[in-house]
Amino acid sequence: MRLVSTSLADSARSASQRARAATVLLGPAFVAAIAYVDPGNVASNVSAGAQYGYLLVWVIVMANIMAAQVQFLSAKLGLVTGRTLPEVVRDRAKRPVRLAYWAQAELAAMATDLAEVVGGAIALNLLFHLPLVVGGLITGVVSMGLLAVQNRGGQRPFERVIIGLLAVISVGFVASLVISPPPIADAAAGLLPRFDGTQSVLLAAAMIGATVMPHAIYLHSGLARDRHGHQEPGVARAKLLRVNKYDVGIAMVIAGTVNLAMLLMAAHTFGGRDDVDTIEAAHAAVRDALGPTAALLLAVGLLASGLASTSVGAYAGAMIMEGLLHRQIPILLRRLVTLVPAIAILAIGFDPTRALIVSQVVLSFGIPFALIPLVRFTSDRGLMGSDVNHRVTTFFAWIVAVIITGLNILLIYLTLTGH
Protein backbone atom coordinates (compact mmCIF):
# COMPACT_ATOMS: atom_id res chain seq x y z
CA MET A 1 0.00 0.00 0.00
CA ARG A 2 2.87 2.31 0.87
CA LEU A 3 4.52 1.56 -2.49
CA VAL A 4 1.30 2.43 -4.31
CA SER A 5 1.00 5.70 -2.39
CA THR A 6 4.61 6.57 -3.13
CA SER A 7 4.12 5.78 -6.81
CA LEU A 8 1.01 7.96 -6.98
CA ALA A 9 2.82 10.80 -5.21
CA ASP A 10 5.76 10.54 -7.62
CA SER A 11 3.38 10.55 -10.59
CA ALA A 12 1.57 13.60 -9.27
CA ARG A 13 4.87 15.38 -8.62
CA SER A 14 6.11 14.54 -12.10
CA ALA A 15 2.89 15.78 -13.68
CA SER A 16 3.13 18.99 -11.66
CA GLN A 17 6.71 19.53 -12.79
CA ARG A 18 5.76 18.95 -16.42
CA ALA A 19 2.88 21.42 -16.10
CA ARG A 20 5.19 24.06 -14.57
CA ALA A 21 7.75 23.50 -17.31
CA ALA A 22 5.09 23.91 -19.98
CA THR A 23 3.77 27.07 -18.29
CA VAL A 24 7.21 28.65 -18.47
CA LEU A 25 7.11 28.21 -22.25
CA LEU A 26 3.82 30.10 -22.55
CA GLY A 27 3.79 33.79 -23.35
CA PRO A 28 4.35 34.78 -27.01
CA ALA A 29 0.68 34.21 -27.94
CA PHE A 30 -0.45 36.41 -25.06
CA VAL A 31 1.59 39.31 -26.48
CA ALA A 32 0.09 38.71 -29.93
CA ALA A 33 -3.38 38.45 -28.33
CA ILE A 34 -3.18 42.10 -27.25
CA ALA A 35 -3.77 42.93 -30.91
CA TYR A 36 -7.15 41.20 -30.58
CA VAL A 37 -8.39 43.36 -27.70
CA ASP A 38 -7.19 46.79 -28.80
CA PRO A 39 -9.30 49.99 -28.90
CA GLY A 40 -10.33 49.19 -32.47
CA ASN A 41 -12.08 46.10 -31.14
CA VAL A 42 -13.88 48.25 -28.59
CA ALA A 43 -15.18 50.68 -31.21
CA SER A 44 -16.21 47.94 -33.66
CA ASN A 45 -17.80 45.60 -31.13
CA VAL A 46 -19.61 48.31 -29.18
CA SER A 47 -20.92 49.86 -32.41
CA ALA A 48 -22.08 46.45 -33.63
CA GLY A 49 -23.89 45.68 -30.38
CA ALA A 50 -25.48 49.11 -30.11
CA GLN A 51 -26.71 49.23 -33.72
CA TYR A 52 -27.59 45.59 -34.39
CA GLY A 53 -27.99 43.95 -30.98
CA TYR A 54 -26.87 40.31 -31.09
CA LEU A 55 -26.91 40.08 -34.92
CA LEU A 56 -23.10 39.90 -35.31
CA VAL A 57 -22.22 37.56 -32.44
CA TRP A 58 -21.32 34.97 -35.07
CA VAL A 59 -18.68 37.29 -36.54
CA ILE A 60 -16.76 37.40 -33.25
CA VAL A 61 -16.93 33.64 -32.78
CA MET A 62 -15.85 32.98 -36.37
CA ALA A 63 -13.08 35.59 -36.24
CA ASN A 64 -11.55 34.14 -33.08
CA ILE A 65 -11.61 30.59 -34.41
CA MET A 66 -9.85 31.81 -37.54
CA ALA A 67 -7.41 33.84 -35.45
CA ALA A 68 -6.37 30.81 -33.40
CA GLN A 69 -5.53 28.85 -36.55
CA VAL A 70 -3.66 31.76 -38.12
CA GLN A 71 -1.62 32.58 -35.01
CA PHE A 72 -0.51 28.99 -34.56
CA LEU A 73 0.63 28.82 -38.19
CA SER A 74 2.64 32.00 -37.67
CA ALA A 75 4.28 30.64 -34.51
CA LYS A 76 5.02 27.36 -36.31
CA LEU A 77 6.71 29.15 -39.18
CA GLY A 78 9.04 30.96 -36.78
CA LEU A 79 9.87 27.85 -34.76
CA VAL A 80 10.48 25.56 -37.76
CA THR A 81 12.36 27.93 -40.09
CA GLY A 82 14.06 30.16 -37.53
CA ARG A 83 12.86 33.17 -39.54
CA THR A 84 10.00 35.62 -39.23
CA LEU A 85 7.25 35.81 -41.83
CA PRO A 86 8.61 39.11 -43.23
CA GLU A 87 12.07 37.53 -43.55
CA VAL A 88 10.70 34.57 -45.50
CA VAL A 89 8.80 36.97 -47.80
CA ARG A 90 12.03 38.95 -48.34
CA ASP A 91 13.99 35.81 -49.19
CA ARG A 92 11.45 34.73 -51.80
CA ALA A 93 10.51 38.05 -53.44
CA LYS A 94 12.34 40.40 -55.78
CA ARG A 95 13.16 43.93 -54.62
CA PRO A 96 10.20 45.78 -56.25
CA VAL A 97 7.78 43.25 -54.74
CA ARG A 98 9.46 43.57 -51.34
CA LEU A 99 9.12 47.35 -51.42
CA ALA A 100 5.45 47.21 -52.41
CA TYR A 101 4.81 44.58 -49.80
CA TRP A 102 6.54 46.68 -47.15
CA ALA A 103 4.45 49.73 -48.12
CA GLN A 104 1.13 47.94 -47.59
CA ALA A 105 2.40 46.37 -44.36
CA GLU A 106 3.44 49.81 -43.09
CA LEU A 107 -0.02 51.17 -43.98
CA ALA A 108 -1.56 48.44 -41.83
CA ALA A 109 0.91 49.24 -39.03
CA MET A 110 -0.02 52.94 -39.22
CA ALA A 111 -3.73 52.04 -39.00
CA THR A 112 -2.89 49.97 -35.95
CA ASP A 113 -1.01 52.83 -34.30
CA LEU A 114 -3.89 55.19 -35.03
CA ALA A 115 -6.44 52.94 -33.35
CA GLU A 116 -4.33 52.32 -30.28
CA VAL A 117 -3.25 55.89 -29.57
CA VAL A 118 -6.74 57.26 -30.19
CA GLY A 119 -8.18 54.61 -27.87
CA GLY A 120 -5.76 55.54 -25.10
CA ALA A 121 -6.59 59.22 -25.57
CA ILE A 122 -10.34 58.52 -25.29
CA ALA A 123 -9.76 56.52 -22.09
CA LEU A 124 -7.72 59.30 -20.46
CA ASN A 125 -10.40 61.79 -21.46
CA LEU A 126 -13.08 59.63 -19.82
CA LEU A 127 -11.02 59.07 -16.67
CA PHE A 128 -9.39 62.48 -16.15
CA HIS A 129 -11.11 64.79 -18.70
CA LEU A 130 -7.81 65.39 -20.47
CA PRO A 131 -7.92 66.86 -23.99
CA LEU A 132 -7.61 64.14 -26.62
CA VAL A 133 -4.31 65.48 -27.97
CA VAL A 134 -2.78 65.47 -24.49
CA GLY A 135 -4.12 61.96 -23.87
CA GLY A 136 -2.64 60.78 -27.16
CA LEU A 137 0.76 62.18 -26.24
CA ILE A 138 0.63 60.53 -22.80
CA THR A 139 -0.33 57.21 -24.40
CA GLY A 140 2.63 57.50 -26.74
CA VAL A 141 5.06 58.34 -23.94
CA VAL A 142 3.89 55.47 -21.73
CA SER A 143 4.10 53.05 -24.65
CA MET A 144 7.70 54.15 -25.18
CA GLY A 145 8.35 53.24 -21.56
CA LEU A 146 6.91 49.78 -22.13
CA LEU A 147 9.09 49.36 -25.21
CA ALA A 148 12.12 50.40 -23.14
CA VAL A 149 11.34 47.41 -20.89
CA GLN A 150 11.63 45.15 -23.92
CA ASN A 151 14.80 46.87 -25.12
CA ARG A 152 16.60 46.57 -21.79
CA GLY A 153 15.08 43.50 -20.15
CA GLY A 154 14.37 41.33 -23.17
CA GLN A 155 11.22 39.58 -24.25
CA ARG A 156 10.31 37.77 -21.03
CA PRO A 157 9.86 40.89 -18.81
CA PHE A 158 7.96 42.55 -21.66
CA GLU A 159 5.67 39.52 -21.81
CA ARG A 160 4.97 39.77 -18.08
CA VAL A 161 4.00 43.44 -18.35
CA ILE A 162 1.75 42.79 -21.36
CA ILE A 163 0.09 39.79 -19.69
CA GLY A 164 -0.62 41.97 -16.64
CA LEU A 165 -2.27 44.58 -18.85
CA LEU A 166 -4.24 41.81 -20.59
CA ALA A 167 -5.61 40.82 -17.18
CA VAL A 168 -6.70 44.42 -16.53
CA ILE A 169 -8.34 44.58 -19.97
CA SER A 170 -10.22 41.35 -19.31
CA VAL A 171 -11.58 42.54 -15.96
CA GLY A 172 -12.47 45.97 -17.36
CA PHE A 173 -14.60 44.66 -20.20
CA VAL A 174 -16.07 41.52 -18.68
CA ALA A 175 -17.21 43.32 -15.50
CA SER A 176 -20.29 44.88 -17.11
CA LEU A 177 -21.35 41.49 -18.40
CA VAL A 178 -21.09 40.00 -14.92
CA ILE A 179 -23.05 42.88 -13.38
CA SER A 180 -25.89 42.54 -15.90
CA PRO A 181 -25.84 39.26 -17.86
CA PRO A 182 -27.68 39.24 -21.21
CA PRO A 183 -30.41 36.73 -22.07
CA ILE A 184 -28.71 33.50 -23.16
CA ALA A 185 -31.34 32.76 -25.81
CA ASP A 186 -30.86 36.16 -27.50
CA ALA A 187 -27.09 35.81 -27.49
CA ALA A 188 -27.32 32.28 -28.92
CA ALA A 189 -29.58 33.52 -31.72
CA GLY A 190 -26.71 35.75 -32.84
CA LEU A 191 -24.69 32.65 -33.80
CA LEU A 192 -26.72 32.35 -37.02
CA PRO A 193 -24.64 33.99 -39.81
CA ARG A 194 -26.49 36.88 -41.48
CA PHE A 195 -26.23 40.61 -42.29
CA ASP A 196 -28.65 43.51 -42.29
CA GLY A 197 -27.52 46.04 -44.89
CA THR A 198 -24.25 47.68 -45.91
CA GLN A 199 -23.46 49.09 -42.49
CA SER A 200 -23.58 45.66 -40.88
CA VAL A 201 -21.10 44.39 -43.51
CA LEU A 202 -18.85 47.37 -42.78
CA LEU A 203 -18.93 46.59 -39.08
CA ALA A 204 -18.31 42.88 -39.72
CA ALA A 205 -15.25 43.76 -41.82
CA ALA A 206 -14.07 46.09 -39.06
CA MET A 207 -14.59 43.39 -36.42
CA ILE A 208 -12.58 40.87 -38.43
CA GLY A 209 -9.91 43.47 -39.16
CA ALA A 210 -9.72 44.15 -35.42
CA THR A 211 -9.47 40.43 -34.63
CA VAL A 212 -7.35 38.75 -37.31
CA MET A 213 -4.86 41.62 -37.45
CA PRO A 214 -2.04 41.72 -40.03
CA HIS A 215 0.67 42.94 -37.68
CA ALA A 216 -0.14 40.15 -35.20
CA ILE A 217 0.32 37.58 -37.98
CA TYR A 218 3.74 39.01 -38.83
CA LEU A 219 4.73 39.47 -35.19
CA HIS A 220 3.92 36.03 -33.79
CA SER A 221 6.48 34.30 -36.01
CA GLY A 222 9.17 36.53 -34.53
CA LEU A 223 7.92 36.26 -30.95
CA ALA A 224 7.99 32.45 -31.06
CA ARG A 225 11.39 32.35 -32.77
CA ASP A 226 12.99 34.87 -30.41
CA ARG A 227 11.59 33.18 -27.31
CA HIS A 228 12.33 29.54 -28.17
CA GLY A 229 15.00 29.72 -30.85
CA HIS A 230 15.27 27.50 -33.90
CA GLN A 231 15.00 23.84 -32.96
CA GLU A 232 16.08 21.07 -35.29
CA PRO A 233 13.48 18.37 -36.14
CA GLY A 234 12.89 15.97 -33.28
CA VAL A 235 11.36 15.63 -29.85
CA ALA A 236 12.27 19.15 -28.67
CA ARG A 237 10.61 20.82 -31.66
CA ALA A 238 7.53 18.62 -31.38
CA LYS A 239 7.20 19.64 -27.73
CA LEU A 240 7.51 23.34 -28.57
CA LEU A 241 4.89 23.08 -31.28
CA ARG A 242 2.55 21.29 -28.89
CA VAL A 243 3.07 23.90 -26.16
CA ASN A 244 2.48 26.69 -28.67
CA LYS A 245 -0.90 25.16 -29.50
CA TYR A 246 -1.86 25.54 -25.84
CA ASP A 247 -0.32 29.02 -25.75
CA VAL A 248 -2.40 30.15 -28.72
CA GLY A 249 -5.52 28.34 -27.54
CA ILE A 250 -5.53 29.90 -24.07
CA ALA A 251 -4.68 33.38 -25.37
CA MET A 252 -7.39 33.27 -28.02
CA VAL A 253 -10.02 32.05 -25.57
CA ILE A 254 -9.24 35.04 -23.35
CA ALA A 255 -9.28 37.47 -26.29
CA GLY A 256 -12.47 35.95 -27.68
CA THR A 257 -14.20 36.19 -24.31
CA VAL A 258 -13.29 39.86 -23.99
CA ASN A 259 -14.49 40.63 -27.53
CA LEU A 260 -17.74 38.76 -26.98
CA ALA A 261 -18.24 40.56 -23.67
CA MET A 262 -17.91 43.93 -25.42
CA LEU A 263 -20.60 43.13 -27.98
CA LEU A 264 -22.97 41.43 -25.52
CA MET A 265 -22.64 44.31 -23.08
CA ALA A 266 -23.48 46.82 -25.80
CA ALA A 267 -26.36 44.74 -27.16
CA HIS A 268 -27.87 44.13 -23.73
CA THR A 269 -27.29 47.55 -22.18
CA PHE A 270 -28.17 49.87 -25.06
CA GLY A 271 -29.00 47.74 -28.10
CA GLY A 272 -31.18 49.60 -30.58
CA ARG A 273 -30.42 53.07 -29.22
CA ASP A 274 -29.50 55.59 -31.92
CA ASP A 275 -27.60 57.91 -29.56
CA VAL A 276 -24.85 55.40 -28.64
CA ASP A 277 -22.58 55.86 -31.63
CA THR A 278 -19.27 56.66 -29.92
CA ILE A 279 -17.17 55.14 -27.15
CA GLU A 280 -17.84 58.23 -25.04
CA ALA A 281 -21.59 57.74 -25.44
CA ALA A 282 -21.23 54.06 -24.62
CA HIS A 283 -19.33 54.95 -21.44
CA ALA A 284 -22.07 57.37 -20.41
CA ALA A 285 -24.76 54.79 -21.19
CA VAL A 286 -22.97 52.15 -19.09
CA ARG A 287 -22.70 54.63 -16.21
CA ASP A 288 -26.41 55.42 -16.40
CA ALA A 289 -27.51 51.79 -16.76
CA LEU A 290 -24.99 49.89 -14.58
CA GLY A 291 -23.49 52.52 -12.30
CA PRO A 292 -20.19 54.43 -11.96
CA THR A 293 -18.13 51.37 -11.00
CA ALA A 294 -18.93 49.56 -14.24
CA ALA A 295 -18.18 52.74 -16.22
CA LEU A 296 -14.86 53.18 -14.39
CA LEU A 297 -13.81 49.59 -15.11
CA LEU A 298 -14.74 50.06 -18.76
CA ALA A 299 -12.54 53.16 -19.03
CA VAL A 300 -9.64 51.48 -17.20
CA GLY A 301 -9.89 48.48 -19.52
CA LEU A 302 -9.83 50.80 -22.54
CA LEU A 303 -6.74 52.59 -21.20
CA ALA A 304 -4.89 49.33 -20.56
CA SER A 305 -5.88 48.22 -24.06
CA GLY A 306 -4.46 51.37 -25.65
CA LEU A 307 -1.19 51.28 -23.70
CA ALA A 308 -0.49 47.61 -24.29
CA SER A 309 -1.56 47.44 -27.92
CA THR A 310 0.34 50.53 -29.02
CA SER A 311 3.53 49.04 -27.59
CA VAL A 312 2.95 45.71 -29.32
CA GLY A 313 2.07 47.48 -32.56
CA ALA A 314 5.34 49.46 -32.57
CA TYR A 315 7.24 46.25 -31.82
CA ALA A 316 5.56 44.56 -34.79
CA GLY A 317 6.26 47.48 -37.10
CA ALA A 318 9.96 47.35 -36.32
CA MET A 319 10.02 43.60 -36.97
CA ILE A 320 8.23 44.07 -40.32
CA MET A 321 10.71 46.71 -41.52
CA GLU A 322 13.75 44.74 -40.43
CA GLY A 323 12.42 41.55 -41.98
CA LEU A 324 11.34 42.94 -45.35
CA LEU A 325 13.97 45.64 -45.94
CA HIS A 326 16.80 44.34 -43.73
CA ARG A 327 16.98 47.79 -42.20
CA GLN A 328 16.67 48.56 -38.53
CA ILE A 329 15.38 51.73 -36.92
CA PRO A 330 15.57 52.06 -33.11
CA ILE A 331 12.19 50.94 -31.88
CA LEU A 332 11.75 53.98 -29.62
CA LEU A 333 12.45 56.32 -32.55
CA ARG A 334 9.93 54.41 -34.63
CA ARG A 335 7.37 54.81 -31.86
CA LEU A 336 7.95 58.56 -31.90
CA VAL A 337 7.55 58.84 -35.69
CA THR A 338 4.40 56.70 -35.93
CA LEU A 339 2.81 58.72 -33.13
CA VAL A 340 2.53 61.78 -35.40
CA PRO A 341 -0.41 60.65 -37.63
CA ALA A 342 -2.53 59.69 -34.62
CA ILE A 343 -1.86 63.01 -32.88
CA ALA A 344 -2.70 64.84 -36.12
CA ILE A 345 -6.06 63.04 -36.37
CA LEU A 346 -6.85 64.04 -32.79
CA ALA A 347 -5.71 67.64 -33.36
CA ILE A 348 -7.95 68.27 -36.39
CA GLY A 349 -11.01 67.10 -34.47
CA PHE A 350 -11.90 64.02 -36.55
CA ASP A 351 -14.47 61.83 -34.77
CA PRO A 352 -12.22 59.44 -32.78
CA THR A 353 -14.67 56.53 -32.73
CA ARG A 354 -15.17 56.79 -36.49
CA ALA A 355 -11.39 56.91 -36.93
CA LEU A 356 -11.12 53.69 -34.94
CA ILE A 357 -13.68 51.88 -37.10
CA VAL A 358 -12.14 53.07 -40.37
CA SER A 359 -8.71 51.98 -39.17
CA GLN A 360 -10.04 48.48 -38.56
CA VAL A 361 -11.48 48.30 -42.09
CA VAL A 362 -8.04 49.27 -43.43
CA LEU A 363 -6.55 46.46 -41.36
CA SER A 364 -9.09 44.04 -42.76
CA PHE A 365 -7.89 44.79 -46.30
CA GLY A 366 -4.30 44.11 -45.22
CA ILE A 367 -5.04 40.65 -43.84
CA PRO A 368 -4.81 38.68 -47.14
CA PHE A 369 -1.30 40.08 -47.75
CA ALA A 370 -0.15 38.50 -44.50
CA LEU A 371 -2.37 35.44 -44.52
CA ILE A 372 -1.87 34.13 -48.06
CA PRO A 373 1.95 33.95 -47.85
CA LEU A 374 1.66 32.39 -44.38
CA VAL A 375 -0.53 29.56 -45.69
CA ARG A 376 1.70 29.05 -48.73
CA PHE A 377 4.91 28.92 -46.70
CA THR A 378 3.61 26.60 -43.97
CA SER A 379 2.26 24.29 -46.72
CA ASP A 380 5.68 24.11 -48.45
CA ARG A 381 7.37 20.81 -47.57
CA GLY A 382 10.71 22.08 -48.85
CA LEU A 383 10.57 24.89 -46.28
CA MET A 384 8.79 23.18 -43.38
CA GLY A 385 10.01 19.59 -43.75
CA SER A 386 8.11 17.07 -41.64
CA ASP A 387 6.21 19.90 -39.92
CA VAL A 388 4.48 20.97 -43.12
CA ASN A 389 0.75 21.64 -42.75
CA HIS A 390 -1.59 18.69 -42.87
CA ARG A 391 -3.88 18.84 -45.91
CA VAL A 392 -6.88 19.49 -43.67
CA THR A 393 -5.06 22.38 -42.01
CA THR A 394 -4.14 23.86 -45.36
CA PHE A 395 -7.72 23.48 -46.62
CA PHE A 396 -9.12 25.23 -43.55
CA ALA A 397 -6.50 28.01 -43.79
CA TRP A 398 -7.40 28.69 -47.43
CA ILE A 399 -11.07 28.84 -46.47
CA VAL A 400 -10.17 31.51 -43.89
CA ALA A 401 -8.32 33.50 -46.56
CA VAL A 402 -11.24 33.21 -49.00
CA ILE A 403 -13.82 34.27 -46.39
CA ILE A 404 -11.89 37.37 -45.37
CA THR A 405 -11.07 38.38 -48.94
CA GLY A 406 -14.64 37.71 -50.06
CA LEU A 407 -16.05 39.82 -47.22
CA ASN A 408 -13.87 42.74 -48.30
CA ILE A 409 -15.02 42.41 -51.94
CA LEU A 410 -18.65 42.29 -50.80
CA LEU A 411 -18.06 45.41 -48.71
CA ILE A 412 -16.69 47.31 -51.74
CA TYR A 413 -19.60 46.19 -53.92
CA LEU A 414 -22.27 47.18 -51.41
CA THR A 415 -20.63 50.52 -50.74
CA LEU A 416 -20.26 51.41 -54.45
CA THR A 417 -23.79 50.34 -55.35
CA GLY A 418 -25.30 52.10 -52.35
CA HIS A 419 -27.15 49.05 -51.00
Side-chain angles (χ1 to χ4, degrees), residues 199-231:
Q199 182 63 19
S200 67
V201 178
L202 174 66
L203 282 173
M207 291 161 71
I208 291 177
T211 304
V212 188
M213 296 186 75
H215 78 280
I217 299 174
Y218 296 120
L219 177 65
H220 204 162
S221 57
L223 290 171
R225 188 273 312 270
D226 293 345
R227 172 69 118 77
H228 303 300
H230 175 216
Q231 294 286 344

Side-chain angles (χ1 to χ4, degrees), residues 79 138 174 184 186 242 278 344 380 395:
L79 290 172
I138 292 175
V174 175
I184 296 178
D186 292 345
R242 186 167 58 252
T278 65
D380 184 345
F395 177 73

